[in-house]
Amino acid sequence: MGLFDRFKKRFKKSSKEEISVDEDSAEAKQAAEEGARMRQDIVKTREAPITAIPTEEPGDEWDEDDDTVPDPFAAPPRDRKERKKAERAASLEQAEKPEEPKQGKSVPDPMQSTTGRKLVPSGPVEIEVDFGDSATKTGGRVITASSKLDSLLEELEEELLTSDMAHSAVEEVISTLKANLIGTRLTGVKKLDIVLEEALRNTLLKILESGYWDFDQTVNAFLDEGRPVVIMIVGVNGTGKTTTTAKIAHRLSSQGKSVVLAAADTFRAGAIDQLATHADRLGVRCIRSQRGGDAAAVSRDAVDSAKARGEDIVIIDTAGRMQNKTNLMEELRKVHRVTQPHLVLFVADALAGNDAVTQAVEFQRILSFDGAALCKLDTDAKGGAALSIAHATGRPIVLAGVGQGYEDLLDFDPKWLIDTVLG
Ligand SMILES: Nc1nc2c(ncn2[C@@H]2O[C@H](COP(=O)(O)OP(=O)(O)OP(=O)(O)O)[C@@H](O)[C@H]2O)c(=O)[nH]1
Ligand SMILES: [Mg+2]
C-alpha cells in the first residue's frame, strides 16, 4: 500500500464534521479569509518567481505605442493614464530582465545556466492549486483550522519523512497544504480525501516543476548559437557520472550530433579506461591524458579539439569527490573556469536517500549546477530524495537514470515521481 493510501485510510476514519464547518456559518467565512491570508503569506516568503510575469496583460489601449521606449529623463507623468503606462513599461522591463546576462547578482536566476546562458523551460513553470470546478462553488462544508486537521497533517508529515524527503521540504509541503486546505469547500463531488490528494499532488508538483528546463531543447538552443556545447558532469563518488556521460553521449549522437568525451577523472585508477571503453562502444572520440594529469587541461583540450573540428558536443566526465574535500572541489572549479560549460549537471544517486540531498546542497555551495540527473531510479529507491534535492537546491531534476544500459536515460517526469512517492 502506497504512502497516500495508508494516509487516506486514517484520514477517512475522521469524520468531515471534525475538520469542517457549515458553509453559512461565521466560521466558514473566517476560514476562507484565513486560508487566503496563509496562501498570501506563503507567496510572500517564497523567492521571486522564475520569470517575472507582468501583472497586467497588454490591453488595447497600449497597442498603438507598444514599441515606445520610456524616456528615463522625461518629466514625471501627470495623469492616471500616463502613470499606468509608466508602471506597465517598468513591469515589462522587469519581466525582460532575466534574459539579459547578469553580473554580481546574489540570487541566481533559475532559468539561467551557471555561465549566464539561457535554459529552455519545460512544462508549466507555475502550477496553480485549483479546486475551482463549479460543483464546489456552493453547498457542502468548509474546512477550518482545527487541532484535528493539525494532527492529520502531522501524520502525513511522518509519512512523507519516511519516503526520504528532507525535513525542510516536508515542512514547506505541509504548510502549503494547510494553507490550501483551509477555506476549501467539501461537497458530494469533492470529498475530503480527493481534495487532500489533489492539494498534495499539486504542492509536490510545484516543487519539482519549479525551474524545470528541457534537456534536448536547451542543448539545441545552445547549438544554434555555436559549437561545441560543453556539458560538465559532477557529483560525489559512485553516483553514476560516467554511466550518465555515456548515456548522454548515446542520446545526443543518436540525434545525429557529433560528441567528444573528456576523461577529466584523472584521479581514480581505471576511470580513464572506463570512459574510453564507453567511447569505443559508442563510436565517439575520447580525449584523455595520463592518470594524475591535470583535469582542467584535458577538459580544455577536448573543447579546443572539438572547436577545431567543428564538433557539436563535449561532455566532461569529472572525478567523484566528497563535497568537503577543498582541493578537489577547487580542481572542479578550475575545470569550470577554463571550459565555461554551457551546462553543469549534478549526478545524484536516488539510493542515497537523504544523503543525496545533503551532498547536493553542500556541492552547490562550492560549485553551482544547472540541474540534476537522478540515477538508479530503477532500483527500489524511494522518490523523496528527488523532491528534496529540487526543493533544497532550487535546481530541477532534468534527467532520470533508470538502468545500466545506454538507453536507460529518460527526461525526468515529475508526475511519474509523484505517483511513485504517493503510491
Ligand atoms: N541500476 C542502475 N545502476 C546505475 C545507474 N547509473 C549508474 N549505475 C551503476 O552505478 C555504478 C557506478 O556508476 P559510475 O557511472 O561508474 O559512477 P561514477 O559516479 O562515475 O563513479 P566514480 O567515477 O567512481 O565517482 C555502476 O555500476 C553503474 O552501472 C542507473 O540509472 N541504474
Ligand atoms: Mg566515474
Side-chain angles (χ1 to χ4, degrees):
M1 196 190 294
L3 179 157
F4 197 73
D5 287 332
R6 284 198 301 277
F7 177 67
K8 219 156 56 176
K9 226 173 156 187
R10 289 194 236 171
F11 215 93
K12 265 187 175 157
K13 278 191 201 139
S14 55
S15 74
K16 72 177 178 187
E17 278 71 26
E18 287 179 282
I19 61 160
S20 63
V21 289
D22 194 77
E23 63 162 339
D24 296 323
S25 63
E27 290 97 323
K29 195 164 165 262
Q30 253 174 22
E33 287 166 4
E34 193 181 347
R37 199 180 53 244
M38 285 166 80
R39 286 190 292 277
Q40 261 178 12
D41 286 349
I42 286 172
V43 171
K44 270 191 222 149
T45 51
R46 268 204 197 115
E47 282 183 353
I50 285 139
T51 43
I53 298 159
T55 43
E56 276 178 71
E57 283 300 313
D60 287 347
E61 61 182 311
W62 309 124
D63 281 355
E64 56 201 325
D65 44 20
D66 252 0
D67 53 352
T68 48
V69 179
D71 175 3
F73 302 109
R78 270 176 237 143
D79 65 20
R80 206 179 134 264
K81 188 177 170 182
E82 275 193 39
R83 241 192 351 263
K84 256 186 102 181
K85 187 175 163 184
E87 277 166 22
R88 223 182 69 75
S91 102
L92 280 174
E93 206 186 345
Q94 190 65 28
E96 278 159 14
K97 269 186 185 161
E99 301 191 8
E100 293 162 13
K102 287 191 187 74
Q103 271 156 14
K105 191 170 173 270
S106 56
V107 180
D109 174 0
M111 296 323 287
Q112 226 173 55
S113 79
T114 61
T115 42
R117 293 161 166 121
K118 200 169 177 334
L119 304 165
V120 182
S122 162
V125 167
E126 286 273 316
I127 296 178
E128 289 304 321
V129 175
D130 175 23
F131 303 115
D133 80 321
S134 55
T136 66
K137 293 252 164 66
T138 55
R141 294 175 63 84
V142 174
I143 300 179
T144 52
S146 66
S147 54
K148 183 70 194 176
L149 181 65
D150 284 344
S151 72
L152 286 168
L153 289 174
E154 262 166 42
E155 287 182 35
L156 179 61
E157 190 171 336
E158 277 167 33
E159 293 284 0
L160 290 173
L161 284 170
T162 60
S163 78
D164 270 356
M165 262 179 93
H167 214 271
S168 59
V170 172
E171 268 175 16
E172 184 169 333
V173 167
I174 296 293
S175 59
T176 308
L177 192 59
K178 187 172 173 183
N180 285 325
L181 286 173
I182 291 176
T184 296
R185 194 182 293 272
L186 302 169
T187 65
V189 182
K190 289 263 172 178
K191 291 206 167 56
L192 187 52
D193 52 347
I194 297 172
V195 165
L196 186 80
E197 181 161 1
E198 269 184 25
L200 184 57
R201 269 177 198 283
N202 279 307
T203 308
L204 297 178
L205 261 181
K206 206 162 185 161
I207 291 180
L208 284 174
E209 292 200 346
S210 159
Y212 187 47
W213 48 272
D214 184 277
F215 182 80
D216 288 331
Q217 283 187 54
T218 299
V219 170
N220 288 338
F222 289 152
L223 271 176
D224 287 343
E225 286 165 20
R227 44 184 48 80
V229 171
V230 181
I231 304 170
M232 181 176 171
I233 309 291
V234 300
V236 301
N237 305 299
T239 50
K241 292 179 297 300
T242 304
T243 313
T244 304
T245 300
K247 287 175 182 173
I248 294 176
H250 171 70
R251 179 187 187 127
L252 295 176
S253 57
S254 308
Q255 294 168 6
K257 299 177 174 93
S258 46
V259 179
V260 180
L261 303 183
D265 180 354
T266 58
F267 185 70
R268 182 172 63 77
I272 297 173
D273 288 341
Q274 187 191 354
L275 190 72
T277 307
H278 282 306
D280 282 349
R281 283 196 202 131
L282 292 166
V284 302
R285 290 203 303 133
C286 178
I287 305 295
R288 52 191 291 180
S289 69
Q290 297 303 313
R291 185 168 171 222
D294 181 351
V298 177
S299 308
R300 187 56 194 258
D301 283 353
V303 175
D304 288 347
S305 160
K307 202 176 274 172
R309 295 185 180 211
E311 285 162 321
D312 298 321
I313 312 284
V314 174
I315 312 174
I316 304 172
D317 177 35
T318 64
R321 60 203 69 213
M322 295 314 286
Q323 61 284 355
N324 53 3
K325 292 275 184 280
T326 339
N327 52 341
L328 286 176
M329 289 306 285
E330 191 43 53
E331 187 189 68
L332 266 198
R333 287 160 67 120
K334 191 171 160 201
V335 172
H336 188 268
R337 256 195 325 273
V338 304
T339 60
Q340 290 291 302
H342 293 68
L343 291 174
V344 180
L345 284 182
F346 176 79
V347 176
D349 180 343
L351 278 172
N354 250 322
D355 282 348
V357 185
T358 319
Q359 288 159 2
V361 171
E362 303 226 327
F363 221 91
Q364 201 196 27
R365 281 204 191 110
I366 297 155
L367 185 81
S368 63
F369 49 85
D370 300 307
L374 190 64
C375 294
K376 311 188 192 177
L377 279 170
D378 52 312
T379 63
D380 59 357
K382 301 172 193 148
L387 285 164
S388 309
I389 289 174
H391 175 264
T393 65
R395 287 321 215 172
I397 314 281
V398 285
L399 294 172
V402 292
Q404 305 192 41
Y406 293 137
E407 299 278 348
D408 298 328
L409 183 73
L410 308 174
D411 283 330
F412 177 72
D413 179 359
K415 290 192 180 70
W416 170 83
L417 185 93
I418 285 166
D419 287 344
T420 310
V421 172
L422 295 186

